[in-house]
Amino acid sequence: MITSDEIKRRLWDGANELRGSMDASRYKDYMLGLMFYKFLSDKTIDTFRMTSGMKQQTEKEVIEAYHENYQQYGDQLVKMISDVLGYYVLPEHLYQTWISAIRTGEFEVQKVTDSLNNFERTIAVTGDSDDFKGLFSSSTLDLTDTALGSNLNERNKNIKELVLLFADLNMVALQKGDVLGNAYEYLIGQFAMESGKKAGEFYTPPQVSEVMAQIVAKTKSIKSIYDPTVGSGSLLLTVSKYLSEDEKKRLAYYGQEKNTATYNLTRMNLLLHGVRPEKMTISNGDTLAEDWPEDPQRPNDGVQFDAVVMNPPYSVKNWNKSNLKISDPRFEVAGVLPPDSKGDYAFLLHGLFHLGQQGTMAIVLPHGVLFRGGSEGEIRKRLLAKNYIDTIIGLPDKLFTNTGIPVTVLILKKNRPLGAPVLMIDASKTFVKEGKQNVLQEKDIAKIVDTYATSSEEVGYSHLATRDEIVENDYNLNIPRYIETIDGEVSHDVDAHLCGGIPFKNIAELKVLQESVPMIIEQALKEVRSGYVELTEPVAALTKKVLNDDHVSQKSKAVEQQLKVYLDKYWELLKIIDDVNGVTELRDAMLLEIKELLLAFKHINEYDGYQIIAEIWKEKLTEDAEIIALTDFYTAGRTRVPLMVTKGTGKKKREEQDGWIGSIVSNDLIKKQLFSEDVVAIEEKEARLSEVEAELMDLVEAVKVEDSDEESALSEALNEKEDAFTIGLVRSLLKEATKGNTDYTLLKKVEDFLNEKTILNREVKRLDQELKQATESRIETLTNEEIDDLMHEKWFGSLVSKVMRLVENPLTEELAVLEQLRNRYSKTLSTLEEEGNKLEQELEEMMQQLVVSES
């Protein structure tokens, strides 16, 4: 029972430990390549198992039978496997054969090289050779590379450790629920973050892929999809994730990639995600150099697809090395070639050429494509005239690991109604920072996609730009021309600064307060002159009244009731989930429903609620739901697994078991809910221990600041290097000291504290160990009711309070504005003059005193 999160952690930790100083962008080829070969071997064994009626036998027995049958039937056997899979791995070249050689001490790197070469040779004679050709070529997986080790022994050792990293993973079983594919994508993403600028060759950040994929997936019918700069294939796969099972089965994947190693990565990634060889057509070539794919019978029409997605390299210089002309059918629609110094529109036009009449295209490009002039301005004008540009989405900067520039996603269609406006979305301000990168949260993606789906306008966020507006802006599509950034700062009022009072127009702008508690706000204001008011009570008191108002309380109760119904529904569904493939579907349903639930209530941000549920899934539910689906709720609740910890460093680094943890039930929750008295007892002793340590530190500090020339007995007992008293010295000095004098009293005090500290440390350690053992034993004897209580607390313990804060947040935010306004206008010109006069008077008095003193 192994979850996708566990696999991800284990493989990435292994990668970091094994790759040493090798560049991440290079090491990924070895790690992902060998992981894929393990998949091919496991698929071969599984196919032999199923076709030979050995479903109940162990893997060892199946492999032995495969060897024996190959000796007897040879080509006939591998043809049978190849007819099912489209490929095969011979018995002597199975990944498991390498593992066996490692365990018997007979392993050599040459065994791996021979196996990879043999697969290349055998696949070359099958009908599906193009799907696998060159996957393990020496240009991609050079096992003689000195970066793997300076000599043969080093390389032998490092490759052996990498082979063992996948030894116990059943790739066929992991392919169910896309656990294997997700782990592979995760590794690609991790390598991308480590690779810096080189990541652009093979990786599109997941949040950008999600925006593009969710929009493209809304196309009415998608039977084919094309990515002309396919990278690792993540964009193709992300789109397919949002299609129905029937659509996925018939979907044809097309892609082209210039970099050979990345081209190989694409094919591996698609196959690991369960894409059949006959459903994928991937080419290793330069997209702009010549058109691909091309229909020889209709070279001027281009092969067209229901969906086109692209994340091309940005602003490629000298892109037109093939000296293409405007007569190239891909560029005819533009009437002019893109500038040789920037290839952005060349990629866009290539993708558009291959877009079907009813299809959707999404491409991510630098912002410059929206406003640059010259031939790019002409192309933009022509595309707008043809009504092809549907939506423009501005995203934040620093989303990509290989560039810090802000990017834009352009959505293009060929079947837009005449006169349809262009939807502009400014999502450049909605993100969170993670290290040096900016990241779109799930709620940000959801809002972008919803805005696209509904073509809705929101001040400061989205706008439907008409053709007249665009023409008026000379076809410049720079988003700030159409969407004005909202400044959260309330504008200043000169009269209020001069004469005091809060402008009533500012009070009227506090819409949530005005609509929710109008009477309370009205009663808290007093008019000081026409159009200006002042508060009659502190904002803190006003806040208390607002939050306790009947209207607010009733709204909170209504939200809480709806939330309870929602939680009860999904609590039961989560407990009975029995299919790993259904986890994602359940997550999506839960996210959609929380958004709909909160939409029914005014002044609650439904996307904040969406984010709360998304984070619960990310942090807890995804892994737990997978485990439950593989067993059942109560069995998983009573299952414990080894807690592995890393000990030692460098060559002495090792994994050791340090007790047990619940498979889904949290040990900390068991302690908190079932052993609360023991927890309190430990906390009390720890609190007293902190007090003792503080007392000792005070005495240490007192000794360090002594002014006396004569050293005290206490200072002699101090170990200055450790800033602590030494118990041996304290006891020795006590024997010499006279009872009753200061030195004796202080030394005795220190001795008592040190003895108490020792006893407390020993007690805390003993109680901790006893509680740890009791908790670990308790996991297996939990009752169904206890599991219910513990898991409900784990998943949803803080959910209600977080959602309830969404009711209060808009109110408290506006009350904070009210406080700001009150403070801003509390000092008028007259009060400032009075303060100035007072300061002048004080200064004059001081000067007079100085004159008197001098005389």
Side-chain angles (χ1 to χ4, degrees):
M1 186 169 61
I2 187 166
T3 65
S4 53
D5 281 351
E6 193 178 337
I7 291 172
K8 290 171 188 175
R9 285 192 296 268
R10 198 175 92 181
L11 294 183
W12 183 241
D13 288 346
N16 278 330
E17 191 174 332
L18 296 178
R19 74 180 170 97
S21 60
M22 183 183 279
D23 182 78
S25 65
R26 185 77 186 93
Y27 189 77
K28 81 176 191 313
D29 297 332
Y30 294 99
M31 182 166 186
L32 298 177
L34 292 185
M35 182 178 174
F36 183 69
Y37 192 80
K38 175 68 160 65
F39 166 77
L40 297 175
S41 295
D42 285 3
K43 289 289 281 186
T44 299
I45 294 167
D46 188 64
T47 303
F48 174 74
R49 180 200 294 273
M50 302 304 288
T51 54
S52 57
M54 300 185 70
K55 294 181 182 179
Q56 304 305 316
Q57 276 73 13
T58 64
E59 183 182 78
K60 184 181 178 183
E61 290 170 337
V62 174
I63 292 171
E64 286 174 357
Y66 183 33
H67 275 273
E68 291 168 6
N69 276 260
Y70 181 69
Q71 297 287 334
Q72 189 172 355
Y73 301 108
D75 293 344
Q76 187 180 344
L77 175 62
V78 294
K79 183 182 183 305
M80 178 186 72
I81 294 171
S82 184
D83 286 345
V84 175
L85 291 177
Y87 58 85
Y88 62 90
V89 178
L90 290 174
E92 65 181 295
H93 296 302
L94 288 168
Y95 197 99
Q96 287 76 1
T97 306
W98 306 347
I99 296 168
S100 179
I102 289 171
R103 287 170 180 163
T104 58
E106 299 170 356
F107 178 79
E108 295 175 357
V109 174
Q110 192 59 42
K111 287 183 181 290
V112 178
T113 303
D114 290 345
S115 296
L116 300 181
N117 289 340
N118 183 268
F119 183 83
E120 290 286 339
R121 286 195 300 273
T122 56
I123 207 66
V125 297
T126 71
D128 296 303
S129 59
D130 286 346
D131 297 314
F132 299 91
K133 185 178 178 182
L135 278 176
F136 306 111
S137 63
S138 59
S139 62
T140 303
L141 290 176
D142 180 8
L143 298 178
T144 64
D145 192 334
T146 54
L148 288 167
S150 57
N151 56 56
L152 185 59
N153 284 337
E154 283 271 325
R155 291 195 292 278
N156 200 58
K157 177 178 175 292
N158 291 334
I159 292 295
K160 182 169 67 176
E161 288 177 346
L162 183 52
V163 168
L164 289 174
L165 191 60
F166 308 111
D168 65 335
L169 295 183
N170 183 331
M171 302 299 191
V172 176
L174 293 176
Q175 203 176 26
K176 294 172 183 173
D178 218 12
V179 174
L180 180 62
N182 289 340
Y184 203 74
E185 282 274 317
Y186 171 79
L187 288 174
I188 292 171
Q190 292 299 106
F191 280 122
M193 284 190 280
E194 294 281 321
S195 300
K197 290 189 176 181
K198 294 179 183 177
E201 297 174 1
F202 61 89
Y203 188 66
T204 303
Q207 66 263 30
V208 180
S209 293
E210 284 289 330
V211 169
M212 299 168 75
Q214 290 187 39
I215 287 173
V216 166
K218 293 187 180 295
T219 305
K220 191 172 183 180
S221 176
I222 300 181
K223 295 179 181 177
S224 61
I225 184 169
Y226 174 43
D227 186 344
T229 56
V230 74
S232 65
S234 64
L235 265 173
L236 295 176
L237 290 164
T238 309
V239 174
S240 72
K241 187 171 73 174
Y242 290 97
L243 303 180
S244 68
E245 288 304 313
D246 287 341
E247 286 176 316
K248 283 183 192 176
K249 286 175 185 174
R250 67 169 186 254
L251 184 63
Y253 299 78
Y254 284 76
Q256 180 154 249
E257 175 55 46
K258 186 177 179 180
N259 181 291
T260 302
T262 307
Y263 157 69
N264 290 335
L265 189 63
T266 307
R267 294 184 291 163
M268 293 179 195
N269 199 11
L270 291 174
L271 288 160
L272 283 173
H273 277 85
V275 178
R276 294 279 305 172
E278 67 271 14
K279 286 293 184 182
M280 50 185 265
T281 307
I282 310 297
S283 169
N284 185 196
D286 186 338
T287 291
L288 297 183
E290 55 182 286
D291 188 26
W292 184 91
E294 188 176 48
D295 182 352
Q297 305 300 317
R298 305 173 67 190
N300 292 323
D301 294 340
V303 178
Q304 297 200 324
F305 301 93
D306 301 317
V308 176
V309 287
M310 295 178 75
N311 173 26
Y314 302 149
S315 304
V316 173
K317 294 179 181 178
N318 304 316
W319 66 269
N320 195 5
K321 292 173 183 174
S322 301
N323 200 27
L324 301 169
K325 307 295 182 186
I326 191 60
S327 56
D328 186 309
R330 294 177 292 172
F331 306 127
E332 281 182 339
V333 68
V336 61
L337 280 177
D340 198 42
S341 60
K342 291 181 178 66
D344 299 318
Y345 272 106
F347 284 109
L348 184 150
L349 291 169
H350 173 93
L352 184 62
F353 177 66
H354 287 284
L355 180 65
Q357 290 300 313
Q358 304 302 314
T360 304
M361 173 178 166
I363 181 170
V364 56
L365 291 169
H367 265 272
V369 298
L370 302 177
F371 55 79
R372 290 193 298 247
S375 57
E376 289 187 308
E378 287 298 314
I379 294 169
R380 195 166 56 246
K381 183 176 180 179
R382 182 70 72 95
L383 292 174
L384 287 163
K386 291 278 188 180
N387 204 25
Y388 288 156
I389 298 177
D390 180 75
T391 302
I392 295 167
I393 303 164
L395 297 178
D397 60 0
K398 298 177 184 174
L399 285 180
F400 289 74
T401 55
N402 61 316
T403 179
I405 64 170
V407 295
T408 181
V409 172
L410 272 68
I411 309 299
L412 297 101
K413 293 182 176 181
K414 292 181 175 177
N415 64 336
R416 280 165 42 83
L418 285 174
V422 175
L423 176 62
M424 302 273 192
I425 299 174
D426 183 5
S428 62
K429 312 292 189 302
T430 54
F431 61 86
V432 292
K433 292 196 76 66
E434 289 186 6
K436 295 179 180 178
Q437 299 299 127
N438 293 332
V439 175
L440 294 174
Q441 292 182 282
E442 299 237 18
K443 66 176 181 179
D444 303 324
I445 296 167
K447 185 172 181 179
I448 292 169
V449 176
D450 287 350
T451 303
Y452 167 82
T454 58
S455 292
S456 57
E457 291 189 285
E458 181 183 324
V459 175
Y461 185 77
S462 61
H463 175 67
L464 291 166
T466 64
R467 178 168 179 76
D468 288 344
E469 282 181 276
I470 293 169
V471 171
E472 188 180 330
N473 279 292
D474 198 22
Y475 298 95
N476 184 320
L477 296 176
N478 199 20
I479 295 172
R481 288 185 173 231
Y482 302 87
I483 300 174
E484 188 176 346
T485 301
I486 296 176
D487 185 358
E489 180 69 21
V490 179
S491 59
H492 285 254
D493 185 288
V494 176
D495 283 345
H497 277 299
L498 291 172
C499 305
I502 301 169
F504 187 77
K505 63 179 182 181
N506 290 152
I507 302 291
E509 287 167 356
L510 302 175
K511 299 294 184 185
V512 182
L513 289 172
Q514 294 288 3
E515 292 179 19
S516 304
V517 287
M519 292 298 293
I520 291 178
I521 298 302
E522 185 180 340
Q523 290 166 7
L525 300 174
K526 182 177 78 173
E527 188 175 53
V528 292
R529 64 182 192 284
S530 180
Y532 294 85
V533 296
E534 66 179 17
L535 285 169
T536 58
E537 57 184 304
V539 173
L542 188 59
T543 300
K544 193 172 181 180
K545 279 186 183 178
V546 167
L547 297 183
N548 289 325
D549 179 74
D550 284 346
H551 172 82
V552 176
S553 298
Q554 286 168 13
K555 183 177 179 180
S556 295
K557 284 177 185 173
V559 172
E560 193 169 357
Q561 286 170 358
Q562 289 295 311
L563 194 59
K564 185 180 183 306
V565 173
Y566 167 84
L567 287 180
D568 287 348
K569 172 184 174 179
Y570 285 102
W571 166 249
E572 294 302 327
L573 290 173
L574 283 161
K575 285 171 65 176
I576 62 171
I577 191 164
D578 59 0
D579 182 3
V580 175
N581 292 312
V583 172
T584 302
E585 187 180 335
L586 184 58
R587 173 187 178 276
D588 292 346
M590 199 169 172
L591 285 168
L592 180 62
E593 192 165 333
I594 190 67
K595 197 168 57 175
E596 290 173 347
L597 185 158
L598 295 176
L599 263 172
F601 296 93
K602 205 170 182 182
H603 303 310
I604 295 182
N605 188 321
E606 69 273 20
Y607 294 106
D608 285 339
Y610 185 98
Q611 187 64 31
I612 291 169
I613 300 298
E615 285 172 4
I616 291 173
W617 271 95
K618 182 181 177 182
E619 293 166 10
K620 301 165 188 173
L621 279 176
T622 299
E623 188 166 11
D624 286 353
E626 283 181 13
I627 293 170
I628 293 164
L630 292 168
T631 53
D632 69 74
F633 181 70
Y634 292 113
T635 300
R638 280 185 280 270
T639 299
R640 62 181 195 173
V641 295
L643 172 62
M644 304 305 293
V645 295
T646 303
K647 294 189 176 179
T649 56
K651 291 182 179 179
K652 294 183 179 178
K653 195 174 179 183
R654 65 198 182 280
E655 286 275 302
E656 287 187 7
Q657 183 177 346
D658 184 27
W660 301 88
I661 53 172
S663 176
I664 60 171
V665 176
S666 159
N667 287 33
D668 287 340
L669 273 177
I670 293 175
K671 290 176 185 178
K672 181 181 173 182
Q673 293 201 14
L674 304 183
F675 295 99
S676 56
E677 290 182 6
D678 301 278
V679 171
V680 169
I682 292 171
E683 286 174 348
E684 286 174 352
K685 290 189 181 297
E686 285 176 334
R688 176 55 189 159
L689 184 59
S690 296
E691 289 173 5
V692 169
E693 287 173 338
E695 293 277 7
L696 283 167
M697 187 51 65
D698 288 344
L699 288 166
V700 168
E701 292 300 319
V703 170
K704 288 165 71 176
V705 296
E706 281 180 355
D707 287 333
S708 174
D709 293 333
E710 189 176 330
E711 199 175 56
S712 68
L714 208 56
S715 64
E716 290 180 48
L718 183 65
N719 182 334
E720 292 185 6
K721 286 184 180 178
E722 296 179 8
D723 261 0
F725 295 108
T726 305
I727 187 65
L729 284 172
V730 170
R731 286 171 180 166
S732 175
L733 291 165
L734 264 173
K735 289 177 182 177
E736 299 171 7
T738 304
K739 281 188 179 181
N741 70 11
T742 305
D743 277 351
Y744 183 87
T745 304
L746 288 172
L747 285 167
K748 186 63 180 162
K749 189 175 185 181
V750 170
E751 183 191 37
D752 290 344
F753 279 141
L754 289 173
N755 287 338
E756 187 178 2
K757 180 181 175 182
T758 300
I759 293 167
L760 285 168
N761 272 323
R762 193 183 300 130
E763 279 292 291
V764 167
K765 188 175 180 181
R766 179 182 65 80
L767 292 171
D768 266 337
Q769 188 60 31
E770 289 175 358
L771 180 57
K772 180 175 180 288
Q773 290 172 352
T775 302
E776 291 172 354
S777 301
R778 191 73 169 79
I779 295 167
E780 295 180 318
T781 61
L782 291 170
T783 66
N784 289 359
E785 292 75 15
E786 286 170 340
I787 292 170
D788 283 342
D789 290 342
L790 291 163
M791 291 306 298
H792 201 283
E793 176 64 23
K794 178 185 177 182
W795 290 344
F796 306 129
S798 62
L799 176 61
V800 174
S801 61
K802 285 180 179 178
V803 175
M804 288 302 101
R805 281 199 290 273
L806 299 185
V807 178
E808 296 177 0
N809 285 347
L811 295 164
T812 55
E813 284 167 9
E814 288 195 354
L815 285 162
V817 172
L818 197 56
E819 176 78 9
Q820 179 191 353
L821 291 169
R822 180 181 202 169
N823 293 336
R824 177 186 291 177
Y825 300 120
S826 61
K827 291 185 178 180
T828 63
L829 182 61
S830 59
T831 57
L832 287 172
E833 285 176 350
E834 285 175 11
E835 286 180 6
N837 292 336
K838 186 178 178 183
L839 287 169
E840 282 180 14
Q841 187 178 346
E842 288 174 356
L843 179 62
E844 190 175 334
E845 288 173 358
M846 286 173 62
M847 294 295 290
Q848 287 176 353
Q849 288 174 2
L850 284 170
V851 171
V852 171
S853 299
E854 286 175 3
S855 62

